[in-house]
């Protein structure tokens, strides 16, 4: 319902690029340029400075941006309030998730929610925990599911459950004979680590740091953002990795990987995060509550399996 020109202007200002705004809005770049031109003609002033591959706001643009954000938020709230007068939830839901949760927890969670609310359209963006949290804080996402959140004041955290982190390696690896593994046991073996900002990487580095072992003392063989690639390389003997128990159960059952507990044991929290200062529709609240309950249920089922 909000003025399309304001939506386009907000996206260009947020992403600092006509190209990225066009991609985000599923528009062509000429269409984005036309909308900005129309808005500048309406106010009879330049709102954006173009140059050196970067777009920035003029003084007038900063004023328009401040009001555009308020207008767009109110428009979203209006749409949600009216739709909530009906009994059935529907509409788009922008969800962020970390790679581990996307690989194991999310499919079952979304299946159950879609069966309950078929008119809801989930739109999922996968990234590491830090990137996903930043997108929630900037209100690009309605909510997200990640392993570990920081203390950003713009984000509200809803604790769901936790999952144990285990060492994984191929069955014939020298580490496979251990009943448990300390940081000292692992230090000289090739380590497949995760990408910067990944929640499990953060916890793994804290595990080694607690034993007095710095990242520079580890024998890193690969740094990867893809959980599937991490498991593949570990199964092929490229090194060991540290992974969430839930994400490796099938690989363990099929004999591709073995899993060994860490000593001391470490766990990754699973959290649902929402923007703290954004109007929260019934759809967002319902999904957040459902996700917390479902994650707890799945974790309990995994422990008794």
């Amino acid at each position: 319902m909000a003025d399309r020109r304001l939506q386009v202007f907000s996206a260009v200002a947020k992403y600092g690029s006509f190209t990225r705004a066009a991609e985000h809005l599923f528009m062509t770049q000429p269409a984005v340029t036309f909308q900005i031109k129309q808005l500048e003609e309406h106010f009879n002033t330049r709102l954006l400075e173009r140059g050196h591959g970067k777009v920035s706001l003029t003084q007038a643009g900063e004023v328009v941006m401040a009001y555009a954000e308020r207008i767009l938020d109110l428009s979203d709230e209006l749409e949600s309030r009216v739709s909530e007068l009906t009994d059935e939830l529907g509409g788009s839901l922008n969800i962020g998730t970390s790679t581990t949760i996307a690989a194991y927890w999310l499919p079952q969670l979304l299946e159950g929610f879609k069966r309950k609310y078929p008119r809801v359209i989930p739109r999922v963006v996968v990234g590491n925990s830090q990137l996903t949290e930043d997108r929630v804080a900037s209100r690009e996402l309605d909510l997200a599911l990640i392993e570990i959140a920081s203390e950003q004041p713009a984000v509200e955290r809803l604790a769901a459950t936790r999952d144990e982190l285990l060492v994984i390696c191929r069955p014939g690896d020298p580490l496979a004979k251990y009943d448990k593994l300390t940081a000292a046991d692992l230090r000289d073996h090739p380590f497949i680590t995760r990408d910067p900002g990944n929640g499990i990487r953060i916890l793994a580095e804290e595990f080694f740091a607690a034993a007095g072992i710095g990242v520079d003392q580890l024998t890193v063989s690969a740094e990867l953002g893809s959980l599937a690639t991490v498991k593949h390389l570990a199964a092929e003997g490229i090194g060991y990795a540290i992974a969430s128990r839930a994400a490796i159960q099938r690989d363990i059952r099929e004999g591709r990987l073995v899993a060994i507990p860490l000593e001391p044991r470490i766990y990754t929290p699973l959290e649902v995060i929402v923007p703290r200062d954004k109007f929260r529709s019934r759809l967002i609240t319902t999904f957040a509550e459902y996700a917390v309950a479902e994650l707890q249920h799945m974790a309990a089922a995994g422990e008794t399996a």
Side-chain angles (χ1 to χ4, degrees):
M1 186 172 177
D3 191 321
R4 183 61 168 169
R5 295 172 300 178
L6 291 180
Q7 294 174 331
V8 173
F9 173 74
S10 176
V12 173
K14 182 179 294 183
Y15 293 105
S17 162
F18 280 72
T19 301
R20 290 187 61 200
E23 293 171 352
H24 179 75
L25 296 169
F26 302 102
M27 297 172 63
T28 64
Q29 188 168 330
V32 169
T33 302
F34 175 76
Q35 294 286 344
I36 297 300
K37 182 175 182 292
Q38 288 284 304
L39 193 63
E40 290 182 327
E41 288 178 355
H42 174 82
F43 289 111
N44 194 31
T45 188
R46 184 176 293 277
L47 302 176
L48 297 167
E49 294 289 357
R50 296 97 158 155
H52 306 293
K54 181 73 174 176
V55 175
S56 60
L57 293 170
T58 64
Q59 185 175 0
E62 290 178 355
V63 173
V64 173
M65 183 61 178
Y67 279 92
E69 289 184 331
R70 291 160 62 184
I71 292 168
L72 293 173
D73 282 347
L74 283 171
S75 178
D76 288 344
E77 184 173 341
L78 173 60
E79 295 281 354
S80 296
R81 290 298 190 196
V82 173
S83 68
E84 286 172 6
L85 295 175
T86 63
D87 291 331
E88 187 178 3
L89 285 179
S92 298
L93 187 63
N94 298 312
I95 305 167
T97 178
S98 65
T99 52
T100 297
I101 293 177
Y104 173 75
W105 305 86
L106 190 66
Q108 182 177 330
L109 193 156
L110 285 183
E111 179 193 352
F113 195 77
K114 279 289 293 183
R115 291 190 185 282
K116 199 169 185 179
Y117 304 104
R119 292 182 59 240
V120 174
I121 303 171
R123 292 177 172 163
V124 178
V125 177
V126 180
N128 67 46
S129 292
Q130 186 59 62
L131 177 62
T132 302
E133 182 179 357
D134 289 343
R135 296 192 71 181
V136 171
S138 65
R139 301 189 296 177
E140 294 176 47
L141 297 170
D142 293 321
L143 78 171
L145 292 75
I146 62 176
E147 279 95 352
I148 181 170
S150 66
E151 299 293 337
Q152 287 198 52
V155 169
E156 181 178 342
R157 302 164 62 180
L158 308 173
T161 187
R162 68 176 191 173
D163 194 20
E164 186 174 8
L165 296 185
L166 303 168
V167 171
I168 58 171
C169 60
R170 66 181 177 88
D173 192 280
L175 294 174
K177 67 177 184 290
Y178 286 80
D179 294 326
K180 57 186 177 181
L181 288 161
T182 66
D185 293 329
L186 295 169
R187 178 174 52 196
D188 297 327
H189 292 263
F191 178 35
I192 303 166
T193 188
R194 304 301 296 274
D195 56 319
N198 180 280
I200 291 178
R201 171 173 171 151
I202 293 169
L203 291 170
E205 290 180 354
E206 290 175 353
F207 171 77
F208 286 110
I213 299 173
V215 176
D216 59 336
Q217 295 175 272
L218 299 175
T219 308
V220 174
S221 62
E223 181 179 291
L224 304 170
S226 165
L227 175 61
T229 306
V230 168
K231 294 193 293 183
H232 177 79
L233 292 189
E236 293 300 318
I238 303 302
Y240 74 90
I242 294 175
S244 164
R245 178 189 292 276
I248 58 174
Q249 290 307 299
R250 181 174 179 178
D251 304 274
I252 302 301
R253 288 196 301 270
E254 295 179 355
R256 288 192 296 271
L257 292 169
V258 295
I260 308 99
L262 291 160
E263 180 61 39
R265 292 176 181 261
I266 59 174
Y267 298 84
T268 176
L270 302 181
E271 301 181 316
V272 178
I273 58 173
V274 293
R276 186 178 296 277
D277 60 345
K278 184 179 180 181
F279 162 74
R280 200 169 304 161
S281 68
R282 184 162 66 97
L283 173 56
I284 295 173
T285 300
T286 301
F287 184 83
E289 292 173 350
Y290 177 87
V292 168
E294 187 66 14
L295 288 171
Q296 291 172 348
H297 174 74
M298 291 171 69
E303 289 174 0
T304 57

